[in-house]
Amino acid sequence: MAGVAEAKICLLPEELVMLAREVIEANRKLGRRIVVAESCTGGLVSAALTEIPGSSAVFEAGFVTYSNAQKISLLGVSEDVLDTFGAVSIATAWAMAQGALNRSGADIAVSITGVAGPDGGTELKPVGTVVFARAERGDESENVVADLRRFEDEGRAKIRLHAALCALELLLPEALGE
Protein backbone atom coordinates (compact mmCIF):
# COMPACT_ATOMS: atom_id res chain seq x y z
CA MET A 1 0.00 0.00 0.00
CA ALA A 2 2.91 2.38 0.65
CA GLY A 3 3.89 2.18 -3.05
CA VAL A 4 0.40 3.30 -4.14
CA ALA A 5 0.46 6.26 -1.74
CA GLU A 6 3.94 7.24 -2.91
CA ALA A 7 2.90 7.08 -6.56
CA LYS A 8 0.26 9.76 -5.93
CA ILE A 9 2.63 12.21 -4.25
CA CYS A 10 3.66 15.11 -6.46
CA LEU A 11 5.84 17.94 -5.26
CA LEU A 12 5.01 20.22 -8.18
CA PRO A 13 1.99 22.48 -8.67
CA GLU A 14 -0.90 20.67 -10.33
CA GLU A 15 -1.22 23.21 -13.17
CA LEU A 16 2.43 22.66 -14.07
CA VAL A 17 2.11 18.87 -14.14
CA MET A 18 -1.14 19.02 -16.15
CA LEU A 19 0.50 21.21 -18.80
CA ALA A 20 3.58 18.96 -18.86
CA ARG A 21 1.29 15.96 -19.46
CA GLU A 22 -0.31 17.82 -22.38
CA VAL A 23 3.14 18.60 -23.81
CA ILE A 24 4.31 14.98 -23.53
CA GLU A 25 1.12 13.58 -25.11
CA ALA A 26 1.02 16.11 -27.97
CA ASN A 27 4.67 15.61 -28.86
CA ARG A 28 4.41 11.82 -28.56
CA LYS A 29 1.60 11.89 -31.17
CA LEU A 30 3.88 13.84 -33.50
CA GLY A 31 6.87 11.56 -32.83
CA ARG A 32 8.83 14.60 -31.74
CA ARG A 33 11.57 14.69 -29.08
CA ILE A 34 12.10 17.78 -26.92
CA VAL A 35 14.97 19.40 -25.05
CA VAL A 36 15.00 22.34 -22.65
CA ALA A 37 17.76 24.73 -21.63
CA GLU A 38 16.93 26.36 -18.31
CA SER A 39 18.51 29.10 -16.28
CA CYS A 40 16.16 30.96 -13.90
CA THR A 41 13.77 27.98 -13.67
CA GLY A 42 16.62 25.80 -12.41
CA GLY A 43 15.27 22.54 -13.81
CA LEU A 44 11.61 23.12 -12.98
CA VAL A 45 10.50 22.49 -16.59
CA SER A 46 12.56 19.30 -16.75
CA ALA A 47 11.13 18.17 -13.41
CA ALA A 48 7.58 18.75 -14.63
CA LEU A 49 8.18 16.84 -17.86
CA THR A 50 9.76 13.88 -16.07
CA GLU A 51 6.87 13.78 -13.60
CA ILE A 52 4.83 12.25 -16.43
CA PRO A 53 5.06 8.45 -16.78
CA GLY A 54 6.40 7.55 -20.21
CA SER A 55 8.03 10.94 -20.73
CA SER A 56 11.26 9.23 -21.79
CA ALA A 57 9.62 8.57 -25.18
CA VAL A 58 9.56 12.35 -25.75
CA PHE A 59 11.93 14.13 -23.37
CA GLU A 60 15.49 13.98 -24.67
CA ALA A 61 17.39 16.18 -22.21
CA GLY A 62 17.34 19.14 -19.89
CA PHE A 63 20.28 21.50 -19.48
CA VAL A 64 20.35 23.59 -16.32
CA THR A 65 22.85 26.33 -17.07
CA TYR A 66 22.49 28.76 -14.23
CA SER A 67 25.91 30.38 -14.58
CA ASN A 68 27.28 32.09 -17.66
CA ALA A 69 30.23 29.68 -17.56
CA GLN A 70 27.85 26.75 -18.00
CA LYS A 71 25.89 28.50 -20.75
CA ILE A 72 29.22 28.72 -22.58
CA SER A 73 30.49 25.24 -21.67
CA LEU A 74 27.35 23.12 -21.98
CA LEU A 75 25.37 25.00 -24.63
CA GLY A 76 28.08 26.79 -26.60
CA VAL A 77 26.71 30.28 -25.97
CA SER A 78 29.31 32.76 -27.16
CA GLU A 79 31.10 34.76 -24.50
CA ASP A 80 30.69 37.75 -26.84
CA VAL A 81 26.90 37.34 -26.78
CA LEU A 82 26.88 37.23 -22.99
CA ASP A 83 29.23 40.21 -22.69
CA THR A 84 27.33 42.29 -25.24
CA PHE A 85 23.70 41.48 -24.42
CA GLY A 86 23.82 39.85 -20.98
CA ALA A 87 22.48 36.53 -19.74
CA VAL A 88 18.89 37.82 -19.79
CA SER A 89 18.51 38.71 -23.44
CA ILE A 90 16.91 37.49 -26.64
CA ALA A 91 20.36 36.82 -28.09
CA THR A 92 21.32 34.59 -25.17
CA ALA A 93 17.98 32.74 -25.14
CA TRP A 94 18.32 32.20 -28.90
CA ALA A 95 21.86 30.83 -28.47
CA MET A 96 20.74 28.59 -25.59
CA ALA A 97 17.93 27.06 -27.69
CA GLN A 98 20.28 26.50 -30.64
CA GLY A 99 22.91 25.00 -28.35
CA ALA A 100 20.41 22.62 -26.76
CA LEU A 101 19.34 21.39 -30.20
CA ASN A 102 22.93 21.02 -31.37
CA ARG A 103 23.94 19.04 -28.28
CA SER A 104 20.98 16.67 -28.26
CA GLY A 105 19.00 14.45 -30.58
CA ALA A 106 15.84 16.48 -30.00
CA ASP A 107 13.57 17.96 -32.65
CA ILE A 108 12.49 21.05 -30.71
CA ALA A 109 14.14 23.12 -27.99
CA VAL A 110 12.94 25.75 -25.57
CA SER A 111 15.23 27.94 -23.48
CA ILE A 112 14.47 30.11 -20.47
CA THR A 113 16.66 32.79 -18.91
CA GLY A 114 15.60 35.55 -16.57
CA VAL A 115 15.64 37.43 -13.29
CA ALA A 116 13.57 35.59 -10.68
CA GLY A 117 14.62 37.83 -7.79
CA PRO A 118 14.48 38.98 -5.17
CA ASP A 119 17.82 40.52 -6.23
CA GLY A 120 19.53 40.93 -9.58
CA GLY A 121 17.04 43.22 -11.26
CA THR A 122 18.03 46.45 -12.98
CA GLU A 123 16.09 49.36 -14.40
CA LEU A 124 16.24 47.78 -17.88
CA LYS A 125 15.75 44.22 -16.65
CA PRO A 126 13.70 44.34 -13.45
CA VAL A 127 12.88 41.29 -11.35
CA GLY A 128 10.32 39.30 -13.34
CA THR A 129 12.03 39.78 -16.71
CA VAL A 130 12.22 36.39 -18.44
CA VAL A 131 13.27 35.60 -21.99
CA PHE A 132 12.23 32.48 -23.91
CA ALA A 133 13.33 31.02 -27.22
CA ARG A 134 12.06 28.06 -29.24
CA ALA A 135 14.00 26.41 -32.05
CA GLU A 136 13.23 23.43 -34.26
CA ARG A 137 15.74 21.12 -35.90
CA GLY A 138 16.00 21.81 -39.60
CA ASP A 139 14.56 25.32 -39.40
CA GLU A 140 16.61 28.27 -40.47
CA SER A 141 18.14 30.09 -37.52
CA GLU A 142 16.06 33.17 -38.32
CA ASN A 143 12.92 31.07 -37.64
CA VAL A 144 13.83 30.74 -33.96
CA VAL A 145 11.07 32.33 -31.91
CA ALA A 146 12.19 34.50 -29.00
CA ASP A 147 10.11 36.54 -26.59
CA LEU A 148 10.80 38.74 -23.59
CA ARG A 149 8.14 38.73 -20.87
CA ARG A 150 7.82 40.79 -17.72
CA PHE A 151 6.01 38.96 -14.94
CA GLU A 152 4.70 40.81 -11.91
CA ASP A 153 7.11 40.56 -8.99
CA GLU A 154 4.97 38.29 -6.82
CA GLY A 155 8.07 36.58 -5.45
CA ARG A 156 10.67 34.20 -6.77
CA ALA A 157 8.48 31.08 -6.69
CA LYS A 158 5.65 32.70 -8.68
CA ILE A 159 8.03 34.10 -11.30
CA ARG A 160 9.66 30.70 -11.76
CA LEU A 161 6.26 29.00 -12.00
CA HIS A 162 4.99 31.51 -14.60
CA ALA A 163 8.21 31.08 -16.58
CA ALA A 164 7.96 27.27 -16.50
CA LEU A 165 4.33 27.41 -17.66
CA CYS A 166 5.27 29.70 -20.57
CA ALA A 167 8.12 27.42 -21.58
CA LEU A 168 5.82 24.39 -21.59
CA GLU A 169 3.26 26.28 -23.70
CA LEU A 170 5.99 26.91 -26.28
CA LEU A 171 6.47 23.12 -26.57
CA LEU A 172 2.84 22.57 -27.58
CA PRO A 173 2.15 22.05 -31.29
CA GLU A 174 -0.42 24.90 -31.21
CA ALA A 175 2.39 27.29 -30.33
CA LEU A 176 4.00 26.28 -33.61
CA GLY A 177 0.84 26.70 -35.65
CA GLU A 178 0.56 22.93 -36.22
Side-chain angles (χ1 to χ4, degrees):
M1 193 65 153
V4 173
E6 283 181 41
K8 293 182 180 183
I9 293 174
C10 181
L11 300 175
L12 302 173
E14 185 178 344
E15 63 185 315
L16 189 63
V17 175
M18 287 173 52
L19 186 53
R21 181 173 287 108
E22 196 177 327
V23 166
I24 294 296
E25 290 171 3
N27 284 284
R28 181 180 304 148
K29 286 178 186 173
L30 294 173
R32 189 164 64 181
R33 299 199 45 88
I34 57 179
V35 61
V36 296
E38 301 182 67
S39 186
C40 66
T41 49
L44 188 56
V45 177
S46 297
L49 291 167
T50 57
E51 187 68 29
I52 310 307
S55 60
S56 60
V58 174
F59 185 57
E60 178 76 19
F63 296 91
V64 179
T65 56
Y66 210 65
S67 72
N68 285 351
Q70 292 309 305
K71 287 174 181 67
I72 293 166
S73 174
L74 293 177
L75 297 174
V77 175
S78 161
E79 197 169 337
D80 289 341
V81 166
L82 288 163
D83 288 345
T84 303
F85 301 102
V88 181
S89 66
I90 292 205
T92 296
W94 180 91
M96 288 171 66
Q98 287 293 335
L101 271 184
N102 292 337
R103 286 165 166 73
S104 73
D107 303 300
I108 184 169
V110 165
S111 64
I112 312 107
T113 184
V115 184
D119 302 319
T122 66
E123 190 174 320
L124 291 176
K125 297 174 187 175
V127 170
T129 303
V130 182
V131 185
F132 305 88
R134 183 190 69 231
E136 287 189 78
R137 188 167 302 287
D139 265 4
E140 298 298 319
S141 59
E142 53 276 357
N143 289 341
V144 172
V145 174
D147 187 30
L148 183 145
R149 302 275 306 267
R150 289 212 164 92
F151 298 108
E152 180 125 3
D153 186 0
E154 301 175 88
R156 185 176 180 81
K158 286 275 193 177
I159 292 168
R160 292 177 71 225
L161 175 59
H162 291 311
L165 290 167
C166 282
L168 286 170
E169 286 172 2
L170 285 170
L171 290 168
L172 290 169
E174 304 85 70
L176 305 169
E178 296 172 9

